[in-house]
């Protein structure tokens, strides 16, 4: 019922050999590791040591990261709560922007490599004019740039709200270099850089703008989880224990296509899950904001049809214009059913 964790949190690479030593010394035969990709990578390393030593110790991962960036899993514990809290920051930015003359509200949300929080919070709020995430490239200047779009929104509505993920726009600024204690690249502070660029731009073009910047990072991290995450976390914990007592090891738990599954950790940590710029959800987000492609020449989109032949057919009909006048066709003839089987 409280934010944070009474277990305590840590950063960095612990000595997994020492962890295995203590597990063996203390006679522990079940270890549950809670966290994101880094924590699951640590769980995999501990499991390998236990296997090499032929120790009968079950290693179980439980996905808890607000970034929702673990592969294969529909969502992680903490994501729903993060999106809900992020909306409060967006609402505050909108109030400030709409209350001022040419008001601009900028909200920086968490998401180093994945823009899920920014995308879902934008969709949920309905008050955002533009959202910038790490997976989608954009330009600041020029007629198709973000700054020009913000100017048009100010001229049209008198206010503008922009949501940025912390990992967005790293190609536009230099990071501090190196890696943090967890092995993640140290990013430049895009939120503050973006705020400075917006203020400077409107000053240069002599457009009076009242720019407000909100960074709710630790407010989001520290709040208690909502009812949806309460239920989800309870089920994850139960499934983790069931899998452990069944004798499985080196697995994590989570929703996959709305089914609770046990997944091998090595498969779940192969790469970071990120927003697909060609997905329906991202297009829904873009439609809700009305933002264009913030690039001078958008790359040609390569269509793929992974869902079904029926959907592919409907998309192809939308892509190509039908002839204005119907082409005469021969009368249909009845054909005997084929005895061959077809597979899709």
């Amino acid at each position: 019922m409280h934010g944070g964790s009474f277990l305590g949190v840590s950063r960095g690479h612990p000595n997994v050999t020492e962890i295995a030593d203590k597990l063996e010394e203390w006679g522990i035969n079940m270890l549950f590791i809670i966290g994101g990709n880094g924590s699951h990578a640590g769980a995999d390393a501990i499991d390998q040591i236990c296997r090499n030593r032929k120790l009968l110790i079950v290693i179980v991962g439980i996905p808890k990261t607000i970034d929702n960036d673990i592969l294969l899993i529909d969502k992680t514990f903490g994501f729903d709560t993060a999106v809900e809290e992020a909306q409060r920051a967006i609402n505050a930015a909108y109030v400030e922007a709409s209350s001022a003359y040419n008001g601009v509200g900028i909200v920086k949300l968490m998401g180093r490599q994945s823009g899920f929080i920014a995308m879902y919070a934008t969709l949920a709020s309905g008050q955002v004019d533009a959202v910038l995430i790490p997976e989608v490239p954009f330009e600041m200047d020029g007629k198709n740039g973000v700054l020009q779009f913000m100017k048009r929104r100010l001229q049209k509505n008198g206010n503008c709200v922009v949501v940025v993920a912390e990992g967005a726009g790293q190609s536009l600024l230099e990071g501090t270099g190196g890696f943090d204690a967890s092995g993640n690249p140290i990013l430049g502070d895009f939120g503050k850089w973006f705020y400075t660029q917006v203020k400077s731009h409107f000053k240069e073009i002599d457009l009076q703008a009242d720019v407000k910047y909100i960074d709710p990072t630790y407010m989001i991290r520290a709040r208690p989880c909502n009812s949806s995450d309460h239920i989800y976390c309870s089920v994850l914990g139960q499934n983790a224990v069931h899998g452990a007592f069944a004798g499985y090891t080196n697995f994590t738990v989570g929703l996959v296509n709305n089914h609770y599954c046990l997944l091998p950790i090595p498969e779940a940590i192969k790469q970071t899950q990120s927003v697909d710029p060609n997905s329906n959800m991202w297009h829904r987000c873009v439609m809700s904001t009305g933002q264009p492609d913030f690039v001078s020449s958008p790359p040609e989109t390569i269509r793929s049809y992974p869902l079904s032949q029926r959907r592919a057919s409907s998309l192809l009909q939308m892509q190509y214009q039908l002839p204005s006048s119907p082409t005469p066709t021969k009368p249909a003839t009845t054909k005997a059913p084929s005895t061959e089987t077809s597979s899709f």
Side-chain angles (χ1 to χ4, degrees):
M1 303 304 294
H2 301 280
S5 170
F6 72 90
L7 295 174
V9 296
S10 64
R11 278 290 192 188
H13 293 280
N15 190 316
V16 292
T17 302
E18 291 182 359
I19 293 175
D21 291 342
K22 286 299 180 183
L23 293 175
E24 185 176 8
E25 178 185 339
W26 293 341
I28 294 174
N29 56 19
M30 290 183 183
L31 177 65
F32 298 88
I33 296 179
I34 305 169
N37 284 292
S39 300
H40 279 73
D44 183 54
I46 295 170
D47 179 77
Q48 294 304 317
I49 294 175
C50 293
R51 288 174 185 267
N52 293 337
R53 296 183 183 182
K54 301 188 184 308
L55 301 177
L56 298 180
I57 301 177
V58 168
I59 308 296
V60 183
I62 301 176
K64 188 215 72 66
T65 166
I66 64 175
D67 287 344
N68 195 38
D69 59 353
I70 296 183
L71 201 63
L72 304 175
I73 298 174
D74 293 351
K75 68 174 181 177
T76 56
F77 167 62
F79 177 65
D80 281 350
T81 303
V83 171
E84 186 176 299
E85 185 69 18
Q87 286 183 75
R88 297 178 60 186
I90 294 174
N91 292 339
Y94 176 76
V95 169
E96 289 293 327
S98 60
S99 300
Y101 176 72
N102 283 341
V104 177
I106 300 171
V107 181
K108 186 184 84 169
L109 299 177
M110 297 184 74
R112 297 175 57 88
Q113 296 173 293
S114 304
F116 286 105
I117 294 179
M119 178 176 70
Y120 276 79
T122 295
L123 267 171
S125 73
Q127 298 172 324
V128 179
D129 294 284
V131 56
L132 308 177
I133 62 175
E135 296 88 341
V136 180
F138 57 89
E139 296 175 359
M140 293 291 292
D141 302 308
K143 65 177 182 179
N144 296 316
V146 177
L147 295 173
Q148 186 64 25
F149 173 77
M150 294 175 67
K151 176 186 174 182
R152 293 196 299 267
R153 281 296 170 95
L154 285 178
Q155 292 172 337
K156 178 182 178 182
N157 301 328
N159 59 74
C160 180
V161 176
V162 180
V163 170
V164 301
E166 63 177 321
Q170 291 300 305
S171 61
L172 303 176
L173 70 163
E174 294 183 2
T176 57
F179 298 87
D180 63 16
S182 296
N184 299 311
I186 298 175
L187 304 179
D189 193 335
F190 177 74
K192 289 184 178 179
W193 180 87
F194 183 78
Y195 166 74
T196 303
Q197 291 293 310
V198 170
K199 289 196 70 173
S200 300
H201 173 74
F202 288 133
K203 184 177 181 180
E204 289 175 3
I205 64 175
D206 198 23
L207 176 63
Q208 181 182 349
D210 188 350
V211 185
K212 300 291 175 59
Y213 176 65
I214 298 176
D215 181 356
T217 296
Y218 294 104
M219 292 177 62
I220 292 174
R221 284 169 55 96
R223 67 154 289 175
C225 64
N226 62 15
S227 57
S228 172
D229 270 329
H230 263 300
I231 297 169
Y232 187 42
C233 185
S234 297
V235 179
L236 291 181
Q238 291 167 3
N239 285 342
V241 172
H242 291 326
F245 272 91
Y248 295 107
T249 188
N250 205 22
F251 72 91
T252 189
V253 293
L255 273 176
V256 180
N257 293 330
N258 288 321
H259 290 78
Y260 287 96
C261 299
L262 309 184
L263 300 167
I265 289 179
E267 294 298 319
I269 61 174
K270 278 186 174 179
Q271 64 186 59
T272 300
Q273 179 168 256
S274 57
V275 174
D276 180 2
N278 292 318
S279 65
N280 288 338
M281 191 59 73
W282 174 247
H283 287 301
R284 290 187 186 108
C285 183
V286 170
M287 287 294 292
S288 72
T289 62
Q291 69 190 63
D293 291 319
F294 294 124
V295 289
S296 54
S297 55
E300 182 179 353
T301 302
I302 301 176
R303 291 185 179 274
S304 60
Y305 309 107
L307 297 183
S308 68
Q309 186 176 3
R310 177 180 297 178
R311 183 182 176 199
S313 175
S314 64
L315 287 172
L316 285 171
Q317 291 177 21
M318 294 169 60
Q319 181 178 2
Y320 299 104
Q321 294 182 352
L322 296 176
S324 55
S325 57
T327 305
T329 57
K330 295 181 181 180
T333 57
T334 305
K335 183 179 179 181
S338 173
T339 58
E340 299 179 356
T341 59
S342 59
S343 60
F344 296 92

